[in-house]
Amino acid sequence: YVKAIHDKFGTQIVNVPSKDLVAAYEAIPLADAKAHAETWIRGAEKIVEPPKEDIVKGARMDLALFKMVEQAGASAITINCLGMGLIERDMGYPCLGFCRLNDVGLAGVCEADLKSTMTHLLFLNLVGKPGFVTDPVIDLATNTVIHAHCVSATKMDGVNGPAAPYVIRNHLEDHRGCVLQVKMRIGEKITVSRLIGNDVLLYSTGEIVG
């Protein structure tokens, strides 16, 4: 897959060992993480589940991700965030960092999902707007699709657009860590897409109803 993508788009995908992420995380001073956490807290409509300690860990990971992306000169980063056992290592999930990367015109993508990362980069470069990974659920009772995952940008209109309000929550599946519930505009037109291999781009359109 890495070779096929490089041959088609020129995109270079580099594997980084988990120890590098751990080292980047531990290199962020705790005082810096606490100060950065306050920025996330001030911007939130409210905090629902996470204790402040978890928000600080998420903010520390946020700063670590930015440092890694900057040092690598990368456009995107995707991490096996659940499979690495970050919480068990007493670290934060990358969700806050992914959100901020997406808000500034880069790409932070969930779960080491290379296909979604490439889809994200294609749309980001075509139209200047970020995306987010989704596990769609079809609701036959209301003829709608529920699109949800761990993270979304707040600036879905692009870097120069307005930031949507958000609530600080914990992760829906394991009830741990710190993530954002972003409140998107009702009535907004959306595109759902996935790059299949390196030749086919599936897509559909819709409207946000809730």
Side-chain angles (χ1 to χ4, degrees):
Y1 183 79
V2 170
K3 183 180 185 304
I5 290 298
H6 181 269
D7 290 348
K8 180 77 172 187
F9 300 107
T11 305
Q12 183 179 8
I13 301 173
V14 178
N15 184 54
V16 178
S18 61
K19 64 180 177 60
D20 290 7
L21 177 64
V22 175
Y25 181 87
E26 292 177 347
I28 301 298
L30 185 57
D32 291 356
K34 288 181 177 179
H36 191 46
E38 291 299 329
T39 300
W40 284 109
I41 291 168
R42 285 194 301 271
E45 286 191 335
K46 61 180 178 179
I47 300 168
V48 181
E49 300 94 356
K52 191 170 184 179
E53 178 186 6
D54 285 353
I55 302 174
V56 170
K57 290 177 182 177
R60 194 175 188 183
M61 182 62 79
D62 172 1
L63 295 173
L65 293 182
F66 263 76
K67 183 64 70 174
M68 292 183 72
V69 168
E70 180 183 36
Q71 289 176 345
S75 300
I77 186 168
T78 182
I79 298 171
N80 184 16
C81 29
L82 297 178
M84 280 181 61
L86 294 174
I87 300 298
E88 288 74 17
R89 296 183 189 213
D90 199 33
M91 299 166 68
Y93 281 140
C95 306
L96 296 182
F98 284 170
C99 173
R100 193 159 69 95
L101 285 165
N102 295 337
D103 278 354
V104 300
L106 298 169
V109 184
C110 304
E111 294 186 11
D113 187 338
L114 295 181
K115 295 175 183 177
S116 292
T117 303
M118 284 305 303
T119 309
H120 188 130
L121 287 174
L122 283 172
F123 273 86
L124 187 61
N125 285 279
L126 283 170
V127 300
K129 295 183 180 182
F132 63 90
V133 178
T134 174
D135 289 331
V137 177
I138 309 298
D139 186 345
L140 296 176
T142 58
N143 194 32
T144 58
V145 185
I146 300 169
H147 288 290
H149 215 267
C150 312
V151 69
S152 165
T154 65
K155 294 188 174 184
M156 292 297 289
D157 291 327
V159 174
N160 297 318
Y166 63 86
V167 176
I168 299 178
R169 307 293 305 266
N170 63 23
H171 192 278
L172 178 64
E173 294 178 1
D174 64 8
H175 307 291
R176 299 187 294 182
C178 171
V179 304
L180 300 183
Q181 179 183 359
V182 178
K183 297 185 175 181
M184 299 183 187
R185 292 191 300 271
I186 306 302
E188 186 71 26
K189 298 291 185 182
I190 62 162
T191 301
V192 182
S193 184
R194 180 65 177 261
L195 179 67
I196 308 298
N198 61 6
D199 287 316
V200 177
L201 189 69
L202 302 181
Y203 74 95
S204 64
T205 58
E207 182 178 308
I208 298 175
V209 295

